[in-house]
Amino acid sequence: MFALVDCNNFYVSCERVFRPDLNGQPVVVLSNNDGCAIARSNEAKALGIPMGAPAFEYEELFKKHQVKVFSANFALYGDMSQRVMQLLSEYCDEMEIYSIDEAFLNLQGFNDAQLADLGKILRRRILKCTGIPISIGIAPTKALAKIANRIAKKFPIETGSTHIINSEEKRIKALKWTKAEDVWGIGGAHAQRLKKIGVSNALQFTQLSDEYVRKQMSIVGLRLKHDLQGIPTLKIDEVKDKKNIATTRSFDGNFTELHQLEERVSNFAVSCAEKLRRQNDCCNTMMVFLHTNGHRDDLPQYSKNILIKLPFPTNSAIELSRFALDALGKIFKPGYHYKKAGVIVMDLSPDKHEQIKLFENRNPKHIPLMAAMDKMNARFGQQKLRLAKQASGRIWRMKQEQLSPGYTTRLSDIITVKS
């Protein structure tokens, strides 16, 4: 049996842990630069606020219904996620962290009574230790566990936030209830194609021939079909490090000067370097891109990227920043209003298995320097130590007007208890 554990309205729940006065109140979390809604409490959903709602368009509704709006605090959410995942890992030997708020557990060996008890134990333990409410779906396969979780979340009172598909009757009932477009792995294009041939729910999808599914949706779709039929096909994947790492941002305004973009791109390169060191990798290739605002028909448009092969593998912020700025200089054109830029590092290799080259290698002095830099920034706050090119008085700072404190990630923001 497999379990899918999903944190309910995760970003909102993280904010509510430290603001219990917001329980029962409409809450929205916005994306980078406070652009659009990426998380909504059930109360906010009831007000008709859709996922992706542009904040400026719903400003009046927020005021009218006293919706509490937060800027995304990804440092806090990431830390809370790690706490949840650590607790879950104590209950099984095989776990796949599927996203920041979801994890699959392999519950092989548990009987039905034990599974029901485990669901209660997990929900109670996670809520007590982190304050995060969860929903649990348990089934013979991962795809069915996804559907079971959806049912647990949709009917929390009836299911106790835990739903188990442990019989053929329950499997068929769950598949009939699930719309085809809501099945994990069936995208919008496939859903439209299925609708044209009269397939509107998951059960009807499983009744299609293997030949048709393989032809229309490849072997991936066929595996999904078998998984929904109760035949374990999708395995638990071990957590793997990323093969590519990207740091990109849209700006809150338009940049026209090279030095403005240099500050941003340097920050992006440093961020990629930090992520590389965190997973003990170096990169061998880098892409830098920038483009103008495609929504501004009144301005000339320009978009360009450049892929460069690095002379040696590295995860040094100093070296990656230098390479990124050299690349930026090659694609920058004056006279344009730039809205977005980014750095992507790829062709990763393990830090410990570096192949020494004859003429040019990374600076070995940077290795202890980067380690000290990471340690200082972890202790005193992000980018307390930075490169000169990153600028001490940053030209651009992400718009985060409603950012909550770093309750668990910054010592100065730790909660003070008065008694």
Side-chain angles (χ1 to χ4, degrees):
M1 297 289 277
F2 296 90
L4 175 66
V5 179
D6 186 9
C7 301
N8 299 341
N9 301 326
F10 181 59
Y11 294 168
V12 169
S13 295
C14 288
E15 300 290 354
R16 281 176 165 174
V17 167
F18 305 96
R19 289 284 307 275
D21 59 301
L22 296 177
N23 288 327
Q25 302 299 315
V27 180
V28 168
V29 176
L30 301 179
S31 62
N32 289 332
N33 289 321
D34 292 348
C36 56
I38 56 173
R40 305 152 296 150
S41 67
N42 291 336
E43 296 80 8
K45 294 175 184 177
L47 293 175
I49 301 171
M51 180 66 81
F56 73 94
E57 291 184 6
Y58 285 80
E59 192 172 348
E60 289 301 319
L61 187 147
F62 291 162
K63 291 179 180 178
K64 179 180 178 180
H65 295 282
Q66 297 182 319
V67 178
K68 179 60 180 177
V69 179
F70 287 96
S71 303
N73 188 338
F74 292 117
L76 172 64
Y77 308 152
D79 183 74
M80 295 296 288
S81 174
Q82 288 180 0
R83 294 167 188 258
V84 171
M85 300 307 168
Q86 178 59 43
L87 290 168
L88 292 176
S89 68
E90 298 175 5
Y91 291 87
C92 70
D93 295 328
E94 271 191 290
M95 182 176 84
E96 175 190 347
I97 300 176
Y98 183 67
S99 67
I100 193 172
D101 60 348
E102 291 179 284
F104 285 102
L105 310 181
N106 188 340
L107 302 181
Q108 185 176 3
F110 287 81
N111 60 39
D112 287 353
Q114 290 171 329
L115 289 173
D117 290 340
L118 181 63
K120 295 176 183 177
I121 292 170
L122 286 176
R123 286 188 290 105
R124 186 164 56 243
R125 180 91 189 279
I126 299 299
L127 188 63
K128 180 180 179 181
C129 295
T130 68
I132 302 295
I134 62 173
S135 296
I136 306 173
I138 301 175
T141 69
K142 288 174 66 177
L144 287 173
K146 263 280 194 180
I147 290 178
N149 182 278
R150 192 178 186 90
I151 294 171
K153 188 171 288 189
K154 183 71 174 180
F155 307 103
I157 297 176
E158 295 86 346
T159 63
S161 295
T162 299
H163 185 64
I164 304 175
I165 297 177
N166 54 2
S167 69
E168 183 65 6
E169 181 183 359
K170 286 186 176 181
R171 184 186 74 87
I172 292 175
K173 185 177 180 180
L175 293 182
K176 283 183 178 178
W177 175 81
T178 306
K179 296 179 181 178
E181 60 265 30
D182 293 334
V183 173
W184 178 46
I186 295 182
H190 285 311
Q192 288 298 320
R193 191 177 296 116
L194 291 171
K195 191 174 182 179
K196 289 180 180 179
I197 61 171
V199 174
S200 59
N201 61 45
L203 181 63
Q204 292 170 331
F205 170 69
T206 63
Q207 294 169 342
L208 295 172
S209 69
D210 284 0
E211 291 76 17
Y212 177 86
V213 175
R214 183 195 289 271
K215 182 179 180 180
Q216 299 296 325
M217 301 176 63
S218 76
I219 189 65
V220 176
L222 185 59
R223 288 172 181 165
L224 173 61
K225 177 197 168 185
H226 291 165
D227 228 54
L228 291 172
Q229 289 175 320
I231 306 168
T233 308
L234 305 175
K235 307 297 182 183
I236 288 284
D237 294 327
E238 294 181 3
V239 178
K240 296 180 176 66
D241 290 330
K242 297 178 180 178
K243 295 181 180 179
N244 300 322
I245 293 175
T247 304
T248 68
R249 293 287 185 275
S250 293
F251 312 134
D252 58 346
N254 293 322
F255 288 175
T256 58
E257 303 297 328
L258 177 60
H259 70 89
Q260 295 174 310
L261 292 169
E262 286 179 333
E263 187 268 343
R264 284 285 80 219
V265 168
S266 179
N267 273 290
F268 298 160
V270 169
S271 176
C272 287
E274 290 173 350
K275 295 172 185 177
L276 282 170
R277 295 194 297 273
R278 204 172 298 147
Q279 65 181 47
N280 299 312
D281 276 338
C282 293
C283 72
N284 294 272
T285 306
M286 170 186 286
M287 176 187 285
V288 177
F289 73 85
L290 76 168
H291 59 71
T292 52
N293 188 346
H295 298 289
R296 291 291 301 272
D297 296 332
D298 58 319
L299 296 175
Q301 299 297 315
Y302 173 71
S303 178
K304 188 72 174 178
N305 67 68
I306 183 171
L307 189 70
I308 57 172
K309 183 72 175 177
L310 305 187
F312 48 81
T314 183
N315 57 21
S316 164
I318 298 171
E319 291 168 339
L320 289 179
S321 176
R322 187 180 81 238
F323 292 134
L325 293 178
D326 287 344
L328 175 66
K330 294 177 181 178
I331 60 175
F332 173 80
K333 282 187 177 182
Y336 291 95
H337 293 72
Y338 295 100
K339 184 63 177 177
K340 186 174 184 177
V343 173
I344 304 172
V345 294
M346 53 194 76
D347 189 14
L348 308 188
S349 58
D351 190 12
K352 294 182 180 179
H353 301 100
E354 179 184 1
Q355 185 173 353
I356 304 300
K357 298 188 176 182
L358 183 60
F359 297 108
E360 194 172 8
N361 293 285
R362 64 172 171 166
N363 191 330
K365 294 181 180 179
H366 290 183
I367 298 174
L369 178 59
M370 291 298 107
M373 192 172 178
D374 290 339
K375 187 175 181 179
M376 293 288 285
N377 285 337
R379 181 175 180 181
F380 297 107
Q382 190 179 25
Q383 293 193 0
K384 287 295 182 182
L385 286 180
R386 67 180 76 191
L387 305 184
K389 200 66 181 179
Q390 290 180 265
S392 57
R394 295 175 62 183
I395 294 171
W396 177 86
R397 187 181 297 272
M398 188 187 301
K399 182 181 178 183
Q400 293 180 307
E401 295 179 348
Q402 309 294 335
L403 185 66
S404 56
Y407 300 105
T408 66
T409 60
R410 191 179 301 118
L411 191 59
S412 59
D413 289 346
I414 195 169
I415 289 179
T416 300
V417 179
K418 298 179 181 180
S419 60

